[in-house]
Amino acid sequence: MEIVSTNIATSRTIVWNGKEEQTGIYKEPTDQPLYLGKADVKGDAVIDRKHHGGVDKACYLYSADHYPFWREKYPNLDLPYGMFGENLTVAGLDETKMIVGDVYQLGEAKVQVSEPRQPCYKLGVRFGDQGVLKEFIAAKYAGVYLRIIDEGQVQKGDQFVLLEAVKGGLSIADVFDLTYGQYAEPELLRTLLSDEYLPSKLREKLIKKHSK
């Protein structure tokens, strides 16, 4: 996996339900390296700290490999890298192979796979179509949030080097399926129950959902 675009945003005003609010979803490619901090990307606009940023969502990745799919679905939109609010657009990223808890060296930073993205209305605002939320869930192209173990600078061309692999863990795709699917395979549920790397609130929420 390789970084093909580093993306950052300034705060932008949008109107939602008749009210003005701020958002940092309008990420744009930059030629500059990014500094991955423990709670966010330095200099990036993170407005809604309840749902974005923080230890478990310090940096968001999206796969460059998914962009052709979305460009075919939205041929009238310009879809530059950063369109999904990702800080890093990554070639070769596959949610089925990204295991929660895996640790990578990325440039100067050491990072850990945390959880998938759960889309909100701001993605719909960016696309000019709230229907993209259902399409995002149906496509299962969730992207990946990272924890930052060791802070550091990353830039275009940096490779992901696997340092520590979690055996038999949940993939990002598994967690996305557990989040939006109505049924969990028994083996997947057993893995969820024993998982130690998924953020605790999300893990508890999924256990509760699939224990009914």
Side-chain angles (χ1 to χ4, degrees):
M1 296 184 293
E2 177 181 332
I3 298 173
V4 297
S5 183
T6 53
N7 315 301
I8 203 163
T10 56
S11 179
R12 185 178 296 196
T13 301
I14 61 172
V15 177
W16 179 249
N17 288 336
K19 296 181 180 180
E20 289 189 351
E21 57 182 273
Q22 302 297 305
T23 181
I25 198 172
Y26 286 86
K27 303 285 191 283
E28 295 180 354
T30 176
D31 292 330
Q32 301 300 312
L34 299 184
Y35 188 87
L36 307 189
K38 294 284 188 177
D40 55 29
V41 174
K42 186 177 180 179
D44 189 35
V46 182
I47 310 301
D48 179 6
R49 294 258 173 193
K50 181 179 179 181
H51 298 102
H52 303 285
V55 173
D56 293 319
K57 298 181 179 180
C59 180
Y60 179 51
L61 317 179
Y62 200 72
S63 180
D65 303 2
H66 299 336
Y67 269 83
F69 171 86
W70 294 109
R71 286 171 178 149
E72 184 174 344
K73 277 198 168 290
Y74 289 88
N76 296 323
L77 286 182
D78 181 23
L79 298 183
Y81 289 146
M83 188 71 183
F84 293 86
E86 77 270 19
N87 294 112
L88 303 177
T89 313
V90 179
L93 186 153
D94 182 343
E95 286 89 345
T96 67
K97 297 177 181 179
M98 296 291 281
I99 307 301
V100 175
D102 278 356
V103 175
Y104 291 85
Q105 187 70 39
L106 179 60
E108 296 177 351
K110 183 187 290 186
V111 303
Q112 184 177 46
V113 177
S114 177
E115 63 178 287
R117 162 86 166 277
Q118 296 182 45
C120 72
Y121 68 92
K122 290 179 181 176
L123 181 63
V125 171
R126 178 96 198 249
F127 270 74
D129 177 11
Q130 291 298 320
V132 73
L133 303 185
K134 289 185 177 179
E135 292 180 347
F136 187 95
I137 293 168
K140 300 183 180 181
Y141 293 156
V144 180
Y145 277 113
L146 299 177
R147 299 184 186 98
I148 310 304
I149 298 173
D150 292 334
E151 297 185 358
Q153 185 171 279
V154 301
Q155 60 188 338
K156 185 176 177 180
D158 282 347
Q159 305 274 336
F160 284 72
V161 179
L162 183 62
L163 300 178
E164 301 173 27
V166 175
K167 295 182 179 180
L170 294 167
S171 72
I172 287 293
D174 289 335
V175 178
F176 199 71
D177 283 341
L178 287 166
T179 301
Y180 292 103
Q182 296 305 309
Y183 174 76
E185 294 289 343
E187 183 176 350
L188 196 59
L189 186 54
R190 284 194 294 271
T191 305
L192 173 64
L193 290 170
S194 62
D195 184 87
E196 59 181 298
Y197 298 105
L198 199 63
S200 58
K201 287 185 179 180
L202 177 57
R203 180 174 174 273
E204 290 166 6
K205 178 181 177 182
L206 295 178
I207 290 173
K208 182 177 180 180
K209 172 182 177 179
H210 290 287
S211 297
K212 293 180 179 178

